[in-house]
Amino acid sequence: MKTPENANEMFAKFIAKKKFVEQPYPNFYPGIVNEKMRPIFTEKIDLVTTDFKTIAQSKKPTDIKYQEKIGIGLSRFTDIYQELDTEDRERVCMYFEELMDIVGLESSNGQLNKFMYGFDPMEQPKEKKWTDSHGNIFIEKGTEVSIIPVKYDKTGKKYKVFLYNETTKNIGIIEGLIIKPKEFKVFNVTDTDTLKLENGVKFMFGETYGLEVEDKKSQVSGLGGKYLTDYGVPNEIDFAFVIVPVGKGD
């Protein structure tokens, strides 16, 4: 990288200006809440300025060297990270970006994003894939999970379906059969049958795929992982669900 001729002048101006003070639109900032923390935050930013200036004056300034100093500079906020609210973190990142502009550094290599959000939103999440005992394929990418259901042929096989009532009302199944609040029941469902609840929810096996749920009012949440233990789901259960208030399902 080639250091701009006016870099030293820009560094001097940057160090001289009062930091973490109220700023108007478009770079609105309400100012630091705890005034006692302002000199502490300022000192940490000025140390980064010194680090950048040292690299800028060296014989071979590089992107990597500047990015290493960004990492060191952000780590200086570790002990007071909990003192930074969203606006303060944004302001810290903007100061780093100002220093980057002075030397012509285009990227922090995702470090500012991770400091601001706890992760880099530009980083592509890794894909994880696994298959359950029924042959359904689950693909997890970041916070999104896709399911590729296994092709299913009806044979009259029976499955155990666990239903837990998380609502405050009784859930009717058929005449004389209900699931009380905070109660569960296990149903032996044949893949040629449909399990209908009085709240409109239906569990049935489709013509092509396995167990399907008709849930027009969003009243059903599937159970998996640690929630199987939390809800006391028996080991022999094939499918487990929680009936929740309208609009709370997944």
Side-chain angles (χ1 to χ4, degrees):
M1 294 181 65
K2 184 178 180 181
T3 300
E5 294 181 0
N6 65 339
N8 284 338
E9 178 184 349
M10 298 297 290
F11 283 135
K13 289 182 178 180
F14 183 83
I15 289 178
K17 73 176 180 178
K18 192 173 182 180
K19 302 177 180 69
F20 296 98
V21 293
E22 184 177 356
Q23 296 290 325
Y25 181 85
N27 296 319
F28 174 75
Y29 175 60
I32 195 165
V33 175
N34 186 352
E35 183 62 25
K36 292 182 180 180
M37 297 300 295
R38 193 172 68 79
I40 297 174
F41 289 3
T42 299
E43 180 183 14
K44 294 179 185 297
I45 292 296
D46 287 345
L47 284 173
V48 182
T49 310
T50 301
D51 290 340
F52 265 47
K53 184 176 180 180
T54 299
I55 295 175
Q57 293 175 340
S58 67
K59 293 182 179 180
K60 293 183 179 181
T62 66
D63 286 21
I64 294 177
K65 289 180 180 178
Y66 284 120
Q67 289 166 353
E68 287 176 348
K69 294 302 182 182
I70 289 175
I72 293 172
L74 292 174
S75 69
R76 293 186 180 117
F77 286 89
T78 301
D79 60 333
I80 57 172
Y81 191 81
Q82 298 303 322
E83 301 287 336
L84 297 167
D85 58 19
T86 301
E87 288 82 6
D88 291 334
R89 289 200 303 273
E90 288 178 347
R91 180 52 49 177
V92 168
C93 290
M94 288 187 69
Y95 286 139
F96 273 86
E97 289 171 350
E98 286 185 43
L99 291 172
M100 290 167 60
D101 289 341
I102 291 175
V103 299
L105 179 63
E106 296 183 357
S107 171
S108 71
N109 196 28
Q111 294 181 96
L112 295 184
N113 275 332
K114 289 181 179 180
F115 178 83
M116 183 66 210
Y117 304 106
F119 65 95
D120 184 357
M122 302 302 292
E123 191 176 80
Q124 292 297 319
K126 294 181 180 179
E127 184 176 283
K128 298 179 183 178
K129 183 184 294 186
W130 70 94
T131 304
D132 69 8
S133 59
H134 302 291
N136 301 300
I137 299 174
F138 291 76
I139 301 174
E140 181 182 12
K141 194 171 184 180
T143 58
E144 296 185 1
V145 178
S146 302
I147 302 175
I148 303 175
V150 65
K151 295 237 174 165
Y152 185 83
D153 295 322
K154 294 185 180 183
T155 62
K157 181 179 177 180
K158 285 189 176 182
Y159 294 89
K160 291 185 178 295
V161 180
F162 174 99
L163 297 183
Y164 185 95
N165 184 1
E166 188 80 4
T167 73
T168 58
K169 299 179 181 179
N170 291 338
I171 297 176
I173 312 298
I174 58 176
E175 185 177 355
L177 177 60
I178 62 172
I179 308 176
K180 298 177 181 179
K182 308 304 177 184
E183 179 183 72
F184 74 83
K185 288 191 184 300
V186 176
F187 297 85
N188 292 304
V189 181
T190 304
D191 63 10
T192 55
D193 294 334
T194 297
L195 175 61
K196 300 179 181 179
L197 310 188
E198 290 184 353
N199 60 4
V201 173
K202 295 180 182 179
F203 297 89
M204 63 279 189
F205 287 81
E207 293 298 325
T208 305
Y209 300 112
L211 183 66
E212 299 175 3
V213 182
E214 183 177 301
D215 180 24
K216 296 180 180 179
K217 297 181 181 180
S218 189
Q219 302 173 83
V220 179
S221 290
L223 290 179
K226 76 180 189 68
Y227 295 105
L228 295 174
T229 301
D230 292 346
Y231 281 88
V233 180
N235 292 331
E236 68 273 14
I237 294 299
D238 296 298
F239 303 97
F241 301 93
V242 175
I243 309 301
V244 296
V246 173
K248 300 294 185 180
D250 56 14

